[in-house]
């Protein structure tokens, strides 16, 4: 994929004419009896952004991105405050309707100067309780096009690997009911794959070794779901992640259900609401050649004639935590 130049980044920012506060529009939850029931809300402040210092000389053509929390049915985000240096221009974009990024562009920064942007968000997240009625909940036979992407393989989630498909068939042999099938996959991972704090690997490696960290356990459950024709994806929260799986009701309306694989058992509900950073696990980022599992922060710039280098500090934290 063609790399985005700093000039192109500036043009993208100039074309972003939508008002800043309009970037945070509320997403309405479903009222279906088969949908998760949204409960008590937890509100927190969340700061995100970057500061860049020109070290050893001037820096030119600086362009950086960082993901920020977005609205979801269980989450509402409101912009509270923004601090933008005079040299900086900021804008926003959505990647595949799943990840919101803040883009920061600085044409030039003199030696010893610091620029950048930091925004403060108010993030309200609601807990999710199990649906009131599971009657008719089923695996979708013809999921919408935007949902089908969660049936394929992702980086480190090899849902089409023969070992994953074989294990999914073994686990579900003789199981009746689609909700029960997904729960069987969930319990199998929790009962057979031991959690260990370690460097993240892949779903296949976790299956083979019988151990993994929270990303591996979440990824293996997602891989087993996808191998069983159940759309599933990763939900990224500060310092951790959990899974969501997708089923339809009798009216073919689809719903996403949370499942915390590592830690306290929580299948079909999420009692501990935490700020959602992004959802998904296979993203095409303009600045990267290959799909990524998690959209991380990024900074680039032009070569400086006097040898200046940018020193960047990315900020992504809950103030006071």
């Amino acid at each position: 994929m063609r790399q985005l130049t700093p000039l192109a980044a500036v043009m993208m920012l100039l074309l972003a004419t939508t008002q800043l506060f309009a970037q945070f529009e509320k997403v309405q939850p479903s009222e279906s009896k088969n949908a998760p029931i949204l409960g008590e809300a937890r509100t927190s402040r969340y700061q995100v952004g970057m500061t860049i210092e020109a070290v050893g000389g001037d820096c030119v053509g600086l362009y950086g991105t960082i993901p920020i929390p977005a609205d979801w049915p269980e989450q509402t985000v409101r912009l509270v405050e923004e601090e933008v240096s005079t040299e900086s221009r900021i804008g926003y974009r959505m990647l595949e309707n799943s990840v919101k990024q803040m883009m920061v562009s600085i044409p030039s920064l003199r030696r010893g100067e610091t620029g950048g942007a930091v925004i403060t968000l108010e993030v309200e997240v609601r807990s999710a309780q199990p649906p009131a009625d599971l009657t008719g909940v089923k695996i979708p036979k013809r999921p919408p096009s935007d949902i089908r992407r969660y049936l394929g393989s992702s980086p480190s989630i090899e849902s089409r690997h023969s070992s994953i498909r074989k294990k999914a068939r073994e686990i579900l042999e003789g199981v009746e009911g689609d909700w029960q099938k997904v729960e069987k996959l969930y319990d199998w991972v929790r009962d057979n794959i031991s959690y260990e704090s370690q460097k993240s690997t892949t779903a296949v490696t976790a299956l083979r070794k019988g151990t993994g960290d929270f990303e591996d356990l979440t990824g293996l459950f997602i891989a087993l779901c996808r191998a069983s024709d159940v759309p599933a994806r990763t939900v990224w929260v500060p310092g951790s992640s959990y899974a969501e799986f997708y089923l339809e009701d009798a009216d073919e309306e689809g719903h996403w259900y949370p499942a915390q694989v590592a830690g306290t058992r929580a299948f079909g509900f999420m009692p501990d609401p935490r700020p959602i950073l992004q959802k998904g696990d296979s993203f095409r980022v303009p600045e990267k050649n290959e799909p990524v599992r998690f959209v991380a922060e990024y900074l680039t710039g032009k070569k400086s004639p006097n040898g200046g280098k940018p020193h960047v500090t990315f900020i992504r934290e809950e103030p006071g935590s």
Side-chain angles (χ1 to χ4, degrees), residues 205-222:
T205 302
L207 178 61
R208 176 175 55 83
K209 295 178 61 178
T211 62
D213 76 344
F214 66 88
E215 284 188 36
D216 300 329
L217 270 66
T218 300
L220 178 55
F221 169 67
I222 290 171

Side-chain angles (χ1 to χ4, degrees), residues 7-276:
L7 177 60
V10 172
M11 293 302 296
M12 286 181 64
L13 292 174
L14 293 176
L15 289 172
T17 57
T18 305
Q19 291 186 349
L20 186 62
F21 280 83
Q23 299 288 338
F24 304 94
E25 298 176 353
K26 184 171 179 59
V27 179
Q28 295 295 331
S30 171
E31 297 182 358
S32 168
K33 64 181 180 180
N34 296 127
I37 300 172
L38 299 184
E40 183 179 351
R42 177 183 297 174
T43 302
S44 60
R45 294 287 179 96
Y46 196 80
Q47 286 185 335
V48 60
M50 65 188 75
T51 59
I52 308 168
E53 180 184 2
V55 178
D58 298 345
C59 294
V60 296
L62 298 173
Y63 169 70
T65 65
I66 188 167
I68 66 175
D71 282 353
W72 296 100
E74 71 273 40
Q75 175 167 286
T76 301
V77 180
R78 184 174 69 88
L79 180 65
V80 175
E81 184 181 6
E82 61 173 352
E83 299 177 46
V84 183
S85 69
T86 56
E87 307 89 351
S88 303
R89 303 184 182 98
I90 67 170
Y92 300 88
R93 70 182 179 192
M94 289 293 293
L95 298 179
E96 303 171 9
N97 294 320
S98 297
V99 178
K100 180 176 287 186
Q101 288 180 302
M102 180 172 70
M103 304 179 292
V104 179
S105 178
I106 304 178
S108 63
L109 199 61
R110 291 187 175 276
R111 177 180 180 178
E113 290 184 343
T114 299
V118 178
I119 61 174
T120 301
L121 306 172
E122 186 176 81
V123 183
E124 180 185 271
V125 191
R126 294 188 174 275
S127 62
Q129 302 302 320
D133 188 355
L134 292 175
T135 304
V137 173
K138 59 187 177 182
I139 298 172
K141 292 183 178 179
R142 294 178 298 275
S145 58
D146 61 326
I147 300 298
R148 286 199 295 271
R149 60 185 297 229
Y150 299 113
L151 286 170
S153 294
S154 297
S156 300
I157 302 178
E158 312 98 326
S159 58
R160 294 176 178 152
H161 194 277
S162 60
S163 64
I164 297 290
R165 290 185 173 277
K166 179 181 179 182
K167 180 55 66 177
R169 289 193 298 268
E170 292 176 358
I171 296 170
L172 297 184
E173 185 176 359
V175 180
E176 299 292 336
D178 289 351
W179 181 273
Q180 290 74 16
K181 288 179 179 178
V182 182
E183 188 169 18
K184 185 71 173 180
L185 297 173
Y186 171 84
D187 284 330
W188 187 93
V189 174
R190 288 179 56 84
D191 293 342
N192 292 274
I193 309 298
S194 301
Y195 171 80
E196 288 187 5
S197 180
Q198 61 183 40
K199 184 178 180 180
S200 299
T201 57
T202 70
V204 169
T205 302
L207 178 61
R208 176 175 55 83
K209 295 178 61 178
T211 62
D213 76 344
F214 66 88
E215 284 188 36
D216 300 329
L217 270 66
T218 300
L220 178 55
F221 169 67
I222 290 171
L224 291 169
C225 284
R226 293 176 179 177
S228 307
D229 297 324
V230 178
R233 65 187 179 189
T234 306
V235 180
W236 302 93
V237 295
S240 189
S241 67
Y242 58 89
E244 280 186 331
F245 60 94
Y246 180 92
L247 297 176
E248 289 183 345
D249 58 25
D251 296 325
E252 296 187 353
E253 180 183 355
H255 308 286
W256 286 103
Y257 302 92
Q260 181 171 272
V261 188
T264 304
R265 190 182 194 281
F267 179 77
F269 65 98
M270 184 52 59
D272 180 26
R274 289 159 287 178
I276 297 169

